[in-house]
Amino acid sequence: MRLKDTFEQLKSGGEKALITFITAGDPDIETTEKLVLEMEKRGADIIELGLPFSDPLADGPVIQQSSQRSLERGMNTSLFLEIVSRLRQKTKIPLVVLTYYNPVLSFGEEKFVKEAARAGLDGMIIPDLPLEESRSLHQLAQTQGVDLIYLLTPTSPEERIILTVERAGGFIYCVALTGVTGVRENLSKKAEDMVSRIRKFTSLPLALGFGISTPEQAEQAAAFCDGVIVGSGIVKMVEQMEKYPEDLVKEVGDFVSSLKEGTRR
């Protein structure tokens, strides 16, 4: 309900959601928890936490390297859920896990969903889980009150859009381009057309991600969608600031604040 309530509150105030992503455990667990709380304080409305996987096929080099660093430093599913549980004691901001199906399968679908709900996660994004193979996880998630969030792309045909929105919960993750995550100079020209096509079939919030990394791009995206997702730009800053831990959290906070201003213009 936290996702639904957040989008409704923002809509009533004429605002669009800023959804930020970081990889859990990069550069370390303590900093991850500080970053989540700082991003909330500086304007993030929903936070995606990456549960790293060794073969993140939807991610570009920035998030791939972040996932690798996190795994090398010992991150695993149990530690991830402990982080979420501790954060949930300190914040009510919607928290969504972004991971791949392999970690979920290895942990056990039912166990993963139950422990995710118990820890306080509100949603799950699993880019490599096809709609056709998501029924059991979808049913488990529904039982536990966790939204399974699906992705649609500029090449998704109409029949797939219809099937996806019928099953989706929380919001639709609209992928702005055909390719992997990463910083881009310009927002894809296909993004607005895609959002317009999807909106014909659902009242769920539509959030746009992939390739959005500046306040100007956030402003452009916010003009036609309900939420703006920024990942690689933040993760890259975390990597660049790792040598300056005393400034890292503040720098990311400043960046998130500028992105939020972009969504308000």
Side-chain angles (χ1 to χ4, degrees):
M1 291 298 289
R2 273 187 286 259
L3 285 170
K4 182 174 183 286
D5 291 346
T6 294
F7 277 107
E8 287 182 352
Q9 288 169 12
L10 289 167
K11 186 176 182 179
S12 67
E15 282 193 45
K16 306 298 177 69
L18 175 63
I19 304 171
T20 58
F21 169 92
I22 56 172
T23 302
D26 180 35
D28 54 54
I29 290 173
E30 181 182 357
T31 305
T32 292
E33 295 181 14
K34 287 181 179 177
L35 284 170
V36 168
L37 299 176
E38 181 72 7
M39 290 194 293
E40 178 189 21
K41 188 169 74 175
R42 303 299 289 275
D45 300 295
I46 296 167
I47 294 176
E48 290 179 13
L49 275 175
L51 169 58
F53 175 52
S54 57
D55 188 19
L57 57 86
D59 291 311
V62 171
I63 295 179
Q64 283 185 19
Q65 291 162 14
S66 171
S67 297
Q68 191 60 37
R69 288 193 297 274
S70 176
L71 289 169
E72 289 173 355
R73 292 164 185 171
M75 181 52 58
N76 57 46
T77 304
S78 295
L79 281 175
F80 177 88
L81 292 168
E82 288 175 14
I83 292 172
V84 174
S85 185
R86 281 195 298 274
L87 283 168
R88 187 48 78 211
Q89 304 305 312
K90 301 173 185 174
T91 175
K92 294 181 179 179
I93 193 169
L95 296 171
V96 175
V97 58
L98 193 154
T99 189
Y100 291 82
Y101 187 60
N102 190 284
V104 176
L105 182 64
S106 299
F107 200 72
E109 274 194 353
E110 185 171 0
K111 181 182 176 186
F112 182 83
V113 175
K114 283 184 175 178
E115 294 200 15
R118 189 178 300 122
L121 278 171
D122 300 288
M124 300 186 293
I125 303 171
I126 306 177
D128 63 344
L129 179 63
L131 177 71
E132 294 79 3
E133 298 176 24
S134 68
R135 185 172 298 279
S136 65
L137 191 64
H138 171 74
Q139 291 173 343
L140 287 167
Q142 272 197 319
T143 302
Q144 295 296 324
V146 178
D147 289 314
L148 189 53
I149 296 157
Y150 291 88
L151 291 81
L152 287 169
T153 74
T155 59
S156 297
E158 186 172 305
E159 54 269 28
R160 189 161 192 83
I161 293 173
I162 293 170
L163 290 173
T164 300
V165 301
E166 284 177 352
R167 191 176 293 179
F171 60 90
I172 300 291
Y173 193 130
C174 303
V175 178
L177 46 82
T178 50
V180 296
T181 61
V183 174
R184 304 290 198 282
E185 289 188 5
N186 299 298
L187 189 63
S188 167
K189 294 180 179 177
K190 297 179 181 178
E192 186 169 0
D193 175 65
M194 171 187 58
V195 169
S196 177
R197 289 195 300 119
I198 298 171
R199 203 178 290 284
K200 293 177 184 174
F201 301 103
T202 183
S203 59
L204 277 173
L206 305 181
L208 189 72
F210 281 48
I212 301 172
S213 58
T214 69
E216 291 74 23
Q217 290 170 340
E219 179 184 2
Q220 292 172 32
F224 60 86
C225 60
D226 307 303
V228 178
I229 303 167
V230 181
S232 294
I234 297 171
V235 173
K236 189 174 183 178
M237 181 171 287
V238 170
E239 179 185 6
Q240 292 171 337
M241 293 298 297
E242 184 178 354
K243 295 179 181 176
Y244 312 98
E246 66 279 9
D247 297 325
L248 189 159
V249 174
K250 180 183 181 301
E251 287 292 320
V252 170
D254 288 347
F255 182 46
V256 168
S257 180
S258 69
L259 292 167
K260 185 60 184 178
E261 283 306 308
T263 68
R264 288 178 171 139
R265 289 174 190 151

